[in-house]
Amino acid sequence: MTAAPLGGEDATRRRFLGLCAASGLGAAAGCTAAPSAAGRRREPSHLPEAEQDAPGTADWRIRSAGPADAVSGYTDRVSVAPGEECGLHVSTTAASFRVSALRVGWYGGKRARLVWASPRIPGRAQPPPRVLSATRTVRADWPVTLPLDTTGWPEGAYLLRLESDAGHQRHVPLVVRSAEGSGRTVLLHAPATWQAYNRWGGSSLYAGSSGAYATRSLAVSFDRPYEGNGAEKFLVYEWALVVLAERLRIPLAYTTGPDVHRDPSVLRGAHAVVCLGHDEYWTPEQRAHITGARDAGTNIAFLGANTCFRRVRLEDGERADGRTVVCYKTSYRADPAYATDPARVTTDYRQPPAAAPESSLTGVLYEGYPVDAPYVVRNAGHWVYDGTGVRAGDGFAHLVGVEYDRVTPGSPTPGPLEITAHSPLVCGGRPSHSDSAYYTTAGGAGVFATGTMRWVEGLLAGTGELGRDHGMDGRTRAFVTRATENLLRTFAKGPAARHAPAPVPDTAQVYGSQA
């Protein structure tokens, strides 16, 4: 056992022995009871702020991925409540492996903390995945390798790192979700979007095993690993924002889109909700709950582009509820809901049979892909840009991409809004613009959308972290970091309309007769 779990003496002992029993390891393999403590230890707080001064570790990255079949895994839940158990399903060609639970945060710049580590677990190569022919859905359906008892794990975003005894590693993302978000900034993770793009086993919602769109999956399952390093979408579009938010020491709560779909209670009384860098796939229930929170005064930040673009359904898998993400997209007439429930047909929100463009929530409309362009500030005096030193017309190379949104005259919007950045670009040979926009509601909420998918990536520009930054530099990192700090700190105070300057409507000025 390389690290003792957090929690009380009894919880530690039960979990430790349970792991030994579950893995088939006994005392001969080094599994002995945890030593008794001199006195009862107080159960630590599950809240994120309890982590602010905890010791961190810089050893959280993947050092050697190895072959695709070296080691991989998935959990049977996208999130758990603190203390809830979930199953970890692992396949490896190695004789054994270990698991480390690493909580993402600031931790003095180390950016993770080792919360728990397993003993050695016997390895097994699992059978190939199966494909459900009707929807071309890939499922691993491996048996549970190891039950994870999260007793004592604080709320937050986690990377479970699997390491084979050959030294090869993969991540498995897991969110320990918050039950309450009142007075807090809720970080909204996007596993439905992670899964939509996941090609593990050969198919995603974009391409089938042949690589063709026509053979894509019409539904994808959480019952399989993520391809590559196991957590690419989380690391690229979410991780850096989590680290920054925890560094600011604002009160935080953690949840996922599928959790808000099922139970919106974490939004009740929240000061803000932050939608991260790529959050494309939303159920109608999730959208209604986020919209309701906004109307009740909760600030919303959209730190990406292409947000809330696809309407999906969550359907039951064979073992748990909501393990399948359904999206027929352009084949929506084949969706079983087409004839019976048009509002649940899975296609783009702006498309029939129940068109509801995302701009009515976000203020901006997704327009195109791929693009690479400078981010150009329009209103340098907006409070989001305080302390950045920018002037109107200043640009930040490569910050607009790879998808973008714009204010689109004629599309439904919540009311007058202010365009804070207006960035010229060319996409598919056609000139257009990407817009950052801000509006407020009658309930006091402020809503800000960056209009570019690279905003969260910009927090790492010029550092080489994660191996790519699209040519963005340290100047861009400083700008994005300060603007994001301004946004998070302002939104963390509660309804922004009560303590931040009101937007100055300028769509007509920017777009002229089109507005």
Side-chain angles (χ1 to χ4, degrees):
M1 196 72 167
T2 58
L6 293 175
E9 172 193 346
D10 292 343
T12 300
R13 176 184 171 85
R14 286 195 305 272
R15 183 160 55 259
F16 187 83
L17 294 177
L19 279 169
C20 296
S23 64
L25 299 174
C31 279
T32 57
S36 60
R40 292 286 178 183
R41 284 180 295 173
R42 189 174 182 181
E43 187 72 15
S45 171
H46 294 308
L47 297 177
E49 48 264 41
E51 292 291 289
Q52 289 172 349
D53 298 309
T57 177
D59 181 21
W60 57 268
R61 298 165 179 82
I62 299 295
R63 297 188 297 272
S64 173
D69 62 351
V71 63
S72 60
Y74 62 94
T75 55
D76 56 19
R77 302 179 186 219
V78 298
S79 74
V80 292
E84 190 173 27
E85 185 177 284
C86 68
L88 180 62
H89 307 247
V90 178
S91 178
T92 180
T93 54
S96 65
F97 70 96
R98 298 177 186 268
V99 186
S100 302
L102 296 149
R103 185 184 181 279
V104 173
W106 173 238
Y107 297 111
K110 293 183 177 178
R111 302 176 180 178
R113 182 167 80 85
L114 179 64
V115 171
W116 174 84
S118 77
R120 292 179 62 194
I121 308 298
R124 174 188 174 189
Q126 302 290 354
R130 64 190 180 103
V131 179
L132 307 184
S133 59
T135 54
R136 300 185 289 274
T137 301
V138 177
R139 298 174 58 102
D141 287 338
W142 298 336
V144 173
T145 307
L146 181 70
L148 295 178
D149 177 357
T150 66
T151 299
W153 295 21
E155 300 166 7
Y158 284 75
L159 292 169
L160 306 177
R161 190 175 64 185
L162 313 178
E163 181 168 4
S164 76
D165 60 7
H168 301 312
Q169 300 170 322
R170 289 293 188 284
H171 282 142
V172 179
L174 179 68
V175 173
V176 178
R177 66 181 181 272
S178 305
E180 297 192 12
S182 181
R184 297 179 175 273
T185 294
V186 178
L187 302 186
L188 183 67
H189 296 280
T193 299
W194 308 344
Q195 196 56 253
Y197 285 84
N198 182 21
R199 289 198 66 187
W200 187 93
S203 294
S204 69
L205 290 179
Y206 291 84
S209 55
S210 69
Y213 177 77
T215 61
R216 72 194 184 280
S217 298
L218 301 175
V220 288
S221 174
F222 284 111
D223 291 316
R224 59 176 180 158
Y226 294 104
E227 64 184 324
N229 63 23
E232 187 228 8
K233 288 290 186 285
F234 167 78
L235 286 167
V236 170
Y237 294 113
E238 305 187 8
W239 170 79
L241 189 281
V242 173
V243 172
L244 173 61
E246 294 223 340
R247 179 174 65 79
L248 295 181
R249 293 177 175 254
I250 59 176
L252 297 173
Y254 286 83
T255 194
T256 74
D259 290 308
V260 169
H261 159 89
R262 286 186 289 265
D263 178 8
S265 59
V266 71
L267 305 177
R268 194 171 301 124
H271 282 181
V273 173
V274 178
C275 300
L276 302 163
H278 194 184
D279 194 356
E280 180 177 352
Y281 289 78
W282 289 39
T283 67
E285 293 86 350
Q286 177 185 345
R287 179 170 172 174
H289 294 154
I290 297 293
T291 301
R294 178 203 65 181
D295 294 345
T298 297
N299 303 311
I300 313 288
F302 297 104
L303 300 186
N306 192 221
T307 302
C308 192
F309 181 65
R310 311 274 192 188
R311 180 192 289 115
V312 300
R313 287 195 307 276
L314 297 180
E315 294 186 348
D316 292 352
E318 293 184 1
R319 300 180 183 180
D321 293 346
R323 297 285 291 172
T324 301
V325 181
V326 180
C327 193
Y328 280 69
K329 296 163 77 169
T330 53
S331 300
Y332 64 88
R333 288 183 177 85
D335 188 329
Y338 182 73
T340 60
D341 194 356
R344 291 176 60 78
V345 170
T346 56
T347 186
D348 301 351
Y349 268 104
R350 66 185 67 176
Q351 298 296 334
E358 70 274 15
S359 56
S360 64
L361 172 61
T362 64
V364 292
L365 203 68
Y366 170 65
E367 187 168 88
Y369 162 93
V371 71
D372 181 285
Y375 181 93
V376 179
V377 173
R378 169 176 161 74
N379 180 4
H382 193 276
W383 59 263
V384 165
Y385 304 135
D386 284 351
T388 63
V390 296
R391 295 177 294 181
D394 281 355
F396 296 88
H398 311 294
L399 182 52
V400 173
V402 60
E403 297 185 277
Y404 71 95
D405 299 338
R406 61 168 286 205
V407 173
T408 305
S411 67
T413 58
L417 47 78
E418 180 175 2
I419 297 171
T420 67
H422 187 56
S423 307
L425 55 84
V426 176
C427 186
R430 184 171 65 90
S432 188
H433 289 83
S434 167
D435 294 320
S436 292
Y438 177 64
Y439 73 88
T440 56
T441 68
V447 180
F448 183 80
T450 66
T452 172
M453 195 177 285
R454 286 186 185 157
W455 189 268
V456 173
E457 291 182 273
L459 294 170
L460 300 174
T463 67
E465 185 71 77
L466 304 182
R468 68 183 201 184
D469 54 20
H470 311 287
M472 295 184 289
D473 59 16
R475 173 175 169 269
T476 296
R477 181 178 74 254
F479 165 73
V480 174
T481 299
R482 180 56 187 266
T484 306
E485 291 172 352
N486 292 339
L487 182 66
L488 293 178
R489 285 187 169 122
T490 298
F491 276 12
K493 296 176 184 177
R498 299 177 186 171
H499 54 260
V504 179
D506 59 0
T507 302
Q509 182 180 353
V510 173
Y511 284 103
S513 60
Q514 301 177 61

